[in-house]
Amino acid sequence: MGVNSNRVEDFSSHRINTESVMPGIEIHTVCLSPKKTTLQKLKQRLSEIFFPDDPLYRFKNQTWRKKLLLGLQFLFPIFQWAPEYRLKLLRSDIISGLTIASLAIPQGISYAKLANLPPIVGLYSSFVPPLIYAILGSSSHLGVGPVSIASLIMGSMLSETVSPRDEPIRYLKLAFTATFFAGLFQASLGLLRLGFVIDFLSKATLVGFMSGAAVIVSLQQLKGLLGISHFTSKMQFIPVMSSWSWQTIVMGFGFLVFMLTTRHISMKRAKLFWVSAAAPLTSVILSTLLVFCLRSKTHNISFIGHLPKGLNPPSANMLYFSGPDLELAIKTGIVTGILALTEGISVGRTFAALKNYQVDGNKEMMAIGFMNMAGSCSSCFVTTGSFSRSAVNYNAGAQTAVSNIVMATAVLVTLLFLMPLFYYTPNVILGAIIISAVIGLIDYQAAYCLWKVDKLDFLACLCSFFGVIFISVPLGLGIAVGVSVFKILLHVTRPNSLIMGNIKGTQIYHSLSRYKEASRVPSFLILAIESPIYFANSTYLQERVLRWIREEDEWIKANDGSPLKCIILDMTAVTAIDTSGIDLLCELRKMLEKRSLKARLSPNQSHLALVLTNPVGSVMEKLHQSKMLDSFGLNGIYLAVGEAVADISALWKSQPDFPEDCNETRQCKETRR
């Protein structure tokens, strides 16, 4: 029976020694990674971090003219699909564009109200941003415009410092400035390819945050829905009820029930999506006609009033770049920018997956960012991809971003010619539209799924939900992000480790607690570590491995098993290691050597050897550079657990009176050769 004398070799030799230890088992050489300079390693690592998709691969081996065209297509995706656009696609895009315009117009007015902004700003925000996105965006189905969450955040954060009623001009300037910094932050993330920052907003955090925000928004709209203009301090029933407007209540709740019913119908039957999409505009038209026709009898119902006609007025001169309000604008912009970016990208990817095409996350960040920066200079507030508009756009059969251009054109016509028609639109309808939109954000099924699957995720969800309701929107979101980061730290500092056994008749080794077919291998303790080994978890892992050894000794005594001789650490899931991790392996080896020395004096102690299996390339390279491989000797590292068990077991059989250490066994055998 022959085995190779040195199974750790440089990859440049391109050799794999495979000498049989026993029939059907071969021992393979564990190779080092190809040699690279520090600069090459740094370049590769930075490329993997910031350019995982290799965006420049299309430019390789191309002429300069082709590279110029590819560059234009890369920066402006419209040049990618526009040359291939056909008239047969135009019909679908026109239908979908007009359909989402019918939803965008009432929603834009309503969400501007939610952000404590003039209603006309909501329509402005549904005109310029969609045009910018059609040029820069990579999604064919994303419907762009104001969204409830970003509107709520902006309204709540700015109104804590500035009153929109007492200082409307100052508030408007702050809103535009916050929008500019939101866009600047979003575009910077895309340009610097730092999109992983928004990944800290986990699904659990967003589920709780959106549900809490939906509750707050709904409660805020109750005042308008009940028609309460002033509330009495008297305790009698009649004075309390007389402070309410029954006409407003009937109209508000009537149209709210109508919109919720149409939403329920469209969810049950996807082909009737247009019913839900047309409900807000239908409610606006009908309620406006009712107030206009009954204006002499509906004095208690407040309405929008005059809305200026015309295109978006420039607002670049209203942006703050200095002064005491700048800090508030930047803070509001960053928070709303992160939330808007998270929603826009997740919605875009959702519908791209349905049509089997890819959405470039970094391009989307730049598109949404530049869209908001341009919007802030044209009287718009924060916009992004809206789930409701995108769902309607998708179901209406949108083929390209032309649907956003059609929607913007419809809004343009409205701004130029149809604004007087909204004079008698009741404010209560805007509240009903907002409530019907945000109710869909309360996803109790997702919360229940979090409870079943991951209790820590559910805790993050609860913290986000109750933080938003009882503290404030920004602090509630911050608490939830903190819980999510704590979860990450918990996984890093307390990684999973498990004891493995062999599935009889195979060379497969799996968890003993998970597979009943797996059984312990006599004289071996096989442990798997399922995380990188860093300074943050090295102490914990050392304590955990020693505990595994102690528990295994107790199990052997209780079951009269074979004495423990070898510890195998399966390093398959250890994707990285630092100097603290290397020190951990050294300490474990020293502790086991001390145990072997004690074994010479005590018959109750067995000799123990430490063996590593299947270390990945980066781990193997660091072990080699630290000279750690020398301390492991000739048989301290194997390619697979099965090979390690077979080879070491064969050595033991050939040496009945085995020495203190497996390494000495191998050295004795090599000496005799």
Side-chain angles (χ1 to χ4, degrees):
M1 179 186 65
V3 293
N4 52 296
S5 60
N6 188 354
R7 290 177 296 97
V8 178
E9 298 200 6
D10 194 305
F11 185 79
S12 60
S13 64
H14 292 282
R15 291 190 297 109
I16 298 179
N17 288 331
T18 57
E19 297 190 22
S20 294
V21 174
M22 60 178 58
I25 302 296
E26 295 179 337
I27 307 302
H28 296 79
T29 300
V30 181
C31 296
L32 295 173
S33 300
K35 291 182 179 179
K36 293 181 180 178
T37 64
T38 302
L39 184 61
Q40 288 175 326
K41 293 176 185 176
L42 180 62
K43 181 180 178 182
Q44 181 182 358
R45 187 58 182 155
L46 291 177
S47 177
E48 290 174 353
I49 293 174
F50 296 107
F51 304 98
D53 54 343
D54 190 14
L56 302 179
Y57 77 96
R58 295 178 181 175
F59 293 82
K60 295 176 182 177
N61 303 320
Q62 301 290 343
T63 62
W64 67 270
R65 291 183 179 179
K66 183 66 174 177
K67 287 181 179 179
L68 179 62
L69 177 60
L70 290 173
L72 284 174
Q73 292 178 347
F74 181 78
L75 296 174
F76 305 99
I78 190 172
F79 288 107
Q80 192 168 352
W81 55 264
E84 301 175 358
Y85 195 79
R86 299 291 180 267
L87 285 177
K88 65 179 181 180
L89 303 177
L90 185 61
R91 179 179 175 273
S92 298
D93 286 334
I94 289 176
I95 293 174
S96 57
L98 293 176
T99 305
I100 57 174
S102 68
L103 180 65
I105 292 170
Q107 275 192 352
I109 296 173
S110 302
Y111 292 157
K113 179 175 178 287
L114 185 58
N116 300 317
L117 293 168
I120 191 65
V121 174
L123 287 181
Y124 291 157
S125 303
S126 298
F127 170 54
V128 173
L131 294 176
I132 303 295
Y133 183 82
I135 298 172
L136 299 176
S138 59
S139 172
S140 301
H141 300 92
L142 197 67
V144 173
V147 294
S148 57
I149 293 300
S151 304
L152 168 68
I153 295 293
M154 177 170 285
S156 62
M157 291 185 70
L158 294 181
S159 59
E160 287 179 0
T161 304
V162 181
S163 172
R165 288 188 177 181
D166 299 337
E167 301 176 277
I169 301 301
R170 182 186 173 197
Y171 186 90
L172 194 61
K173 289 181 177 180
L174 274 173
F176 293 152
T177 306
T179 300
F180 176 83
F181 282 107
L184 181 63
F185 178 72
Q186 293 165 335
S188 300
L189 288 181
L191 288 169
L192 300 176
R193 305 185 73 84
L194 296 174
F196 59 83
V197 171
I198 65 173
D199 292 336
F200 283 99
L201 285 177
S202 63
K203 179 183 177 182
T205 301
L206 291 175
V207 167
F209 171 77
M210 289 185 177
S211 299
V215 172
I216 293 295
V217 170
S218 300
L219 293 176
Q220 285 178 340
Q221 300 306 313
L222 281 180
K223 179 182 177 181
L225 207 62
L226 297 173
I228 301 174
S229 56
H230 65 280
F231 202 77
T232 181
S233 59
K234 296 180 180 180
M235 299 297 292
Q236 291 82 10
F237 178 77
I238 293 178
V240 171
M241 294 302 295
S242 62
S243 66
W244 297 7
S245 170
W246 67 269
Q247 297 165 323
T248 304
I249 294 173
V250 171
M251 177 176 288
F253 279 96
F255 282 106
L256 177 61
V257 170
F258 166 68
M259 284 184 282
L260 291 177
T261 303
T262 56
R263 181 172 173 270
H264 179 73
I265 292 172
S266 64
M267 289 177 64
K268 291 292 183 180
R269 299 183 179 181
K271 292 183 179 180
L272 297 178
F273 69 91
W274 57 270
V275 175
S276 176
L281 185 61
T282 303
S283 300
V284 167
I285 294 172
L286 292 178
S287 62
T288 302
L289 289 174
L290 280 173
V291 173
F292 175 75
C293 295
L294 303 175
R295 58 187 180 278
S296 60
K297 299 179 181 180
T298 56
H299 300 292
N300 293 330
I301 299 179
S302 64
F303 45 83
I304 292 176
H306 174 71
L307 292 176
K309 291 196 298 182
L311 294 176
N312 302 30
S315 57
N317 61 330
M318 299 179 72
L319 301 180
Y320 281 112
F321 293 107
S322 61
D325 291 332
L326 182 61
E327 181 182 352
L328 175 62
I330 293 175
K331 183 171 68 174
T332 304
I334 290 175
V335 174
T336 54
I338 290 175
L339 289 170
L341 205 56
T342 303
E343 181 173 354
I345 291 179
S346 61
V347 170
R349 286 175 175 169
T350 298
F351 290 100
L354 295 176
K355 285 293 186 179
N356 197 28
Y357 69 91
Q358 263 192 326
V359 167
D360 189 323
N362 290 291
K363 285 183 184 178
E364 288 297 287
M365 292 178 199
M366 289 188 286
I368 294 173
F370 289 129
M371 176 178 79
N372 280 314
M373 291 174 68
S376 68
C377 299
S378 55
S379 301
C380 304
F381 71 112
V382 174
T383 54
T384 187
S386 164
F387 185 82
S388 58
R389 287 192 193 93
S390 301
V392 170
N393 199 27
Y394 175 83
N395 288 320
Q399 300 296 319
T400 65
V402 170
S403 59
N404 273 306
I405 298 175
V406 174
M407 179 191 72
T409 305
V411 173
L412 172 63
V413 172
T414 303
L415 287 170
L416 293 177
F417 305 109
L418 304 181
M419 296 314 297
L421 299 179
F422 292 97
Y423 185 91
Y424 286 103
T425 300
N427 286 312
V428 66
I429 287 301
L430 304 183
I433 291 173
I434 291 172
I435 292 176
S436 67
V438 299
I439 280 179
L441 299 177
I442 303 176
D443 195 348
Y444 63 90
Q445 292 180 336
Y448 178 66
C449 182
L450 291 173
W451 166 256
K452 289 197 303 181
V453 175
D454 192 320
K455 300 300 187 290
L456 277 177
D457 271 353
F458 182 73
L459 177 62
C461 177
L462 285 184
C463 288
S464 181
F465 179 77
F466 289 113
V468 168
I469 290 180
F470 294 110
I471 305 177
S472 70
V473 171
L475 283 178
L477 186 61
I479 291 170
V481 171
V483 173
S484 297
V485 172
F486 171 75
K487 179 186 174 184
I488 295 172
L489 293 176
L490 190 64
H491 284 305
V492 170
T493 59
R494 295 295 183 268
N496 188 38
S497 59
L498 53 93
I499 182 170
M500 299 200 301
N502 175 245
I503 296 179
K504 191 174 181 181
T506 70
Q507 287 298 312
I508 299 173
Y509 290 80
H510 269 300
S511 171
L512 286 174
S513 60
R514 183 179 172 190
Y515 292 92
K516 295 180 180 179
E517 303 88 344
S519 59
R520 281 178 165 82
V521 181
S523 301
F524 286 92
L525 175 60
I526 307 169
L527 301 176
I529 299 173
E530 298 183 333
S531 83
I533 304 178
Y534 291 132
F535 65 93
N537 59 25
S538 58
T539 302
Y540 167 79
L541 285 173
Q542 178 178 322
E543 295 171 351
R544 192 67 187 91
V545 170
L546 294 177
R547 178 182 167 186
W548 278 120
I549 295 173
R550 187 181 70 250
E551 291 175 349
E552 185 68 8
D553 284 334
E554 292 172 356
W555 185 90
I556 289 171
K557 289 179 182 179
N559 295 272
D560 195 22
S562 302
L564 187 59
K565 302 177 185 177
C566 185
I567 311 296
I568 297 178
L569 289 184
D570 183 9
M571 307 279 282
T572 303
V574 180
T575 55
I577 193 170
D578 65 359
T579 53
S580 298
I582 295 172
D583 290 342
L584 160 68
L585 298 178
C586 290
E587 288 296 320
L588 283 176
R589 189 161 188 82
K590 288 177 182 178
M591 289 179 181
L592 296 181
E593 286 175 355
K594 289 180 181 179
R595 171 170 170 148
S596 295
L597 289 173
K598 290 180 181 179
R600 297 177 179 178
L601 304 175
S602 174
N604 296 325
Q605 290 281 352
S606 59
H607 312 295
L608 277 181
L610 180 64
V611 171
L612 308 180
T613 63
N614 197 24
V616 299
S618 59
V619 173
M620 192 69 182
E621 184 178 0
K622 289 186 178 181
L623 293 176
H624 176 65
Q625 291 173 344
S626 65
K627 308 298 181 182
M628 182 68 186
L629 294 180
D630 297 338
S631 66
F632 272 87
L634 303 174
N635 69 323
I637 299 181
Y638 288 83
L639 193 60
V641 174
E643 294 182 7
V645 171
D647 189 35
I648 296 172
S649 298
L651 289 172
W652 289 343
K653 288 180 181 179
S654 65
Q655 294 287 328
D657 300 323
F658 64 90
E660 298 84 30
D661 191 8
C662 287
N663 293 327
E664 295 182 19
T665 303
R666 174 60 64 98
Q667 290 165 3
C668 290
K669 182 167 185 177
E670 294 295 331
T671 301
R672 283 202 310 275
R673 279 184 174 179

